[in-house]
Amino acid sequence: MTPALSAAENEVADLCVELIRADSSNYGDGSGPGERAAAEVVMARLAEVGIEGTYIESAPGRGNVITRVEGSDSSLPALLVHGHLDVVPANAADWSVDPFAGELRDGYIWGRGAVDMKDMDAMMLALLRQLKREGRKPRRDIVFAWVADEEAGGVYGAKYLTANHPELFEGVTEAISEVGGYSLEVDPSLRLYLIETAQKGLSWLKLIADGTAGHGSMLNSDNAVTELAKAVARIGEHDWPLTYTATVRQFLTEVADAFGIPFDENDPQPILDKIGPLVRFVGATLRHTTNPTQLDAGYKANVIPGQATAVVDGRFLPGFEDDFFKTVDSLLGPKVRREFIHHDIALETTFDGALVESMIAALKAEDPTARAIPYCMSGGTDNKTFFADLGVRGFGFVPLRLPADMDFASMFHGVDERVPVEALQFGVRVLDRLLLNY
């Protein structure tokens, strides 16, 4: 006999659909609709059960919602549970369904934000509503935050809140948010759940070459375009060596053990092959990366410009930032300089402590085949970008038990983004255990 679903399990799918239908596309240039509509959904559903949320607009339409749940032991440090309300844009012509219809089909919720990350937004909301209705209290204070602008750097979300309203996070020492807690099935008797404990650093670099301007028909040994092109080629073609951080080493060791294969540090590819499409999340965390993304020079075919510029997307490993820039500078050459367009720290925490133990226990209680392992992600989240500045230790933990054949990595910013309803219900159960017992 199938156990009866809790109130949160019953309504989490509907809440996810409602949030998806509140278009909060973030184009990164201020032209999108903003997060107000999605934030108003959160505020309304909190108010329905008598929870007072704090609505903060950092700019017109850029909505954030914060609420604090009092725990039974105020002496314990507080926990932050946060999700972003904005989503990347979606081109409807590419999709099988309307990306903002929140369609339920074949046991999945389809729509932009289904996994990034209105699924977690809905789980947070459903669980909070259930706790209020039932009069249950967590052990410690929990701050729930639904924030704006994560997809474009967090300026109107986490950055604004931590800079202007740090009191909202008083006493918070740890946090959970995206991207982690999802499953990788090894076989029917074992599922690995990847918990994010590290993130690569980000450095968008502007490369600048200065030369001597002149007529295109004349000899010119000081051509800015030539110097820039050589530097871009050197950087783009550089073969960064394998470099194992503590998190990546532990991840590869755990995966190798789970699949019963050796871990050869000189050739990790057999291990990466075992994780299938999830390699997109972790494949770039074994080394630094530098990818040229933009070029700009000149204004006329017969004019040699005095300056040429390029942009490189650089990502460096935790603990190896100095090594990264030493190599980049050696590749630039004497006639090319660099400037930061945007620079973020790399972050790594250890896979231990009471919160980690509680996450593992909550997973195993709902899935006896669960084995939690840490991993590093090549991108970045609000955990790193801003909440770390408050001394908050962040983890990626959105618990989802996924079908073995689901290409989960392709759902992030992808076409036909979708999440299984059963995975949302599983996530609610895990989060309920975690937040009540931690």
Side-chain angles (χ1 to χ4, degrees):
M1 183 176 179
T2 303
L5 297 179
S6 68
E9 290 174 88
N10 270 317
E11 68 177 14
V12 66
D14 289 339
L15 291 170
C16 187
V17 166
E18 189 175 10
L19 286 165
I20 288 170
R21 290 175 177 171
D23 183 0
S24 51
S25 299
N26 189 345
Y27 293 90
D29 59 3
S31 63
E35 298 82 5
R36 178 185 292 168
E40 286 176 347
V41 170
V42 174
M43 289 290 289
R45 297 296 165 251
L46 292 177
E48 274 183 353
V49 294
I51 298 173
E52 183 178 351
T54 300
Y55 177 74
I56 298 173
E57 278 201 351
S58 51
R62 310 311 300 269
N64 300 269
V65 180
I66 316 289
T67 191
R68 191 180 190 107
V69 178
E70 184 180 345
S72 58
D73 186 349
S74 59
S75 68
L76 293 172
L79 175 69
L80 170 64
V81 183
H82 62 99
H84 62 82
L85 291 171
D86 62 321
V87 297
V88 295
N91 181 7
D94 297 332
W95 285 56
S96 302
V97 299
D98 180 344
F100 296 103
E103 184 172 325
L104 278 163
R105 181 196 294 184
D106 302 326
Y108 287 75
I109 299 171
W110 298 58
R112 177 57 85 219
V115 301
D116 187 16
M117 62 175 299
K118 289 181 175 178
D119 56 344
M120 180 62 162
D121 294 332
M123 286 191 278
M124 292 161 55
L125 191 52
L127 181 57
L128 190 49
R129 284 162 57 89
Q130 179 173 292
L131 295 182
K132 179 66 174 180
R133 288 190 187 108
E134 297 177 354
R136 291 187 294 158
K137 272 191 173 186
R139 290 184 62 231
R140 65 189 67 230
D141 285 9
I142 301 177
V143 177
F144 288 83
W146 294 264
V147 302
D149 199 35
E150 190 276 342
E151 297 291 3
V155 172
Y156 298 105
K159 182 176 182 178
Y160 180 87
L161 294 173
T162 53
N164 296 280
H165 299 280
E167 71 283 355
L168 294 172
F169 309 102
E170 182 69 31
V172 170
T173 59
E174 294 173 309
I176 60 171
S177 187
E178 58 176 353
V179 176
Y182 50 87
S183 68
L184 167 65
E185 186 168 315
V186 177
D187 57 49
S189 67
L190 177 61
R191 288 188 188 89
L192 301 179
Y193 285 84
L194 280 62
I195 298 177
E196 181 261 298
T197 61
Q199 300 178 18
K200 290 178 79 174
L202 179 152
S203 194
W204 292 340
L205 300 172
K206 182 178 182 180
L207 309 187
I208 305 165
D210 294 306
T212 301
H215 199 288
S217 67
M218 298 180 181
L219 296 175
N220 189 317
S221 61
D222 187 30
N223 189 312
V225 175
T226 302
E227 293 299 329
L228 180 75
K230 290 189 289 186
V232 168
R234 286 192 296 267
I235 290 173
E237 294 173 352
H238 182 67
D239 186 14
W240 290 98
L242 291 169
T243 304
Y244 294 107
T245 63
T247 297
V248 170
R249 185 180 297 277
Q250 185 174 352
F251 170 79
L252 293 172
T253 301
E254 295 270 11
V255 173
D257 179 70
F259 283 95
I261 59 175
F263 171 23
D264 180 354
E265 291 192 7
N266 296 315
D267 183 18
Q269 194 57 49
I271 300 174
L272 298 177
D273 290 343
K274 290 293 186 181
I275 67 176
L278 289 181
V279 74
R280 287 197 286 270
F281 280 147
V282 301
T285 64
L286 279 67
R287 63 187 82 225
H288 303 303
T289 58
T290 41
N291 287 308
T293 56
Q294 293 178 273
L295 291 167
D296 186 35
Y299 57 90
K300 198 170 186 293
N302 62 347
V303 177
I304 298 171
Q307 187 175 89
T309 64
V311 173
V312 172
D313 184 332
R315 310 284 173 135
F316 53 90
L317 297 167
F320 294 90
E321 183 174 352
D322 290 345
D323 164 76
F324 173 80
F325 284 111
K326 181 180 179 180
T327 301
V328 167
D329 289 342
S330 72
L331 295 170
L332 288 176
K335 294 187 177 181
V336 180
R337 66 186 190 276
R338 63 174 170 86
E339 296 176 353
F340 288 127
I341 297 173
H342 184 68
H343 182 267
D344 270 344
I345 62 169
L347 195 66
E348 185 171 38
T349 188
T350 52
F351 192 58
D352 56 15
L355 178 55
V356 170
E357 291 171 3
S358 295
M359 288 190 284
I360 293 172
L363 284 169
K364 289 189 73 67
E366 293 299 330
D367 181 1
T369 73
R371 178 173 168 184
I373 63 173
Y375 88 101
C376 176
M377 67 176 295
S378 56
T381 71
D382 282 337
N383 264 340
K384 177 187 75 173
T385 312
F386 303 111
F387 292 120
D389 291 342
L390 297 181
V392 176
R393 184 185 184 213
F395 296 88
F397 189 68
V398 178
L400 297 171
R401 186 172 61 200
L402 301 170
D405 60 351
M406 182 178 181
D407 183 357
F408 186 61
S410 72
M411 297 296 103
F412 285 79
H413 298 191
V415 172
D416 288 342
E417 183 180 349
R418 57 196 181 275
V419 65
V421 172
E422 288 186 354
L424 292 181
Q425 294 168 340
F426 172 82
V428 164
R429 295 194 300 272
V430 172
L431 288 174
D432 183 278
R433 289 181 181 274
L434 173 65
L435 301 185
L436 267 292
N437 298 322
Y438 170 55

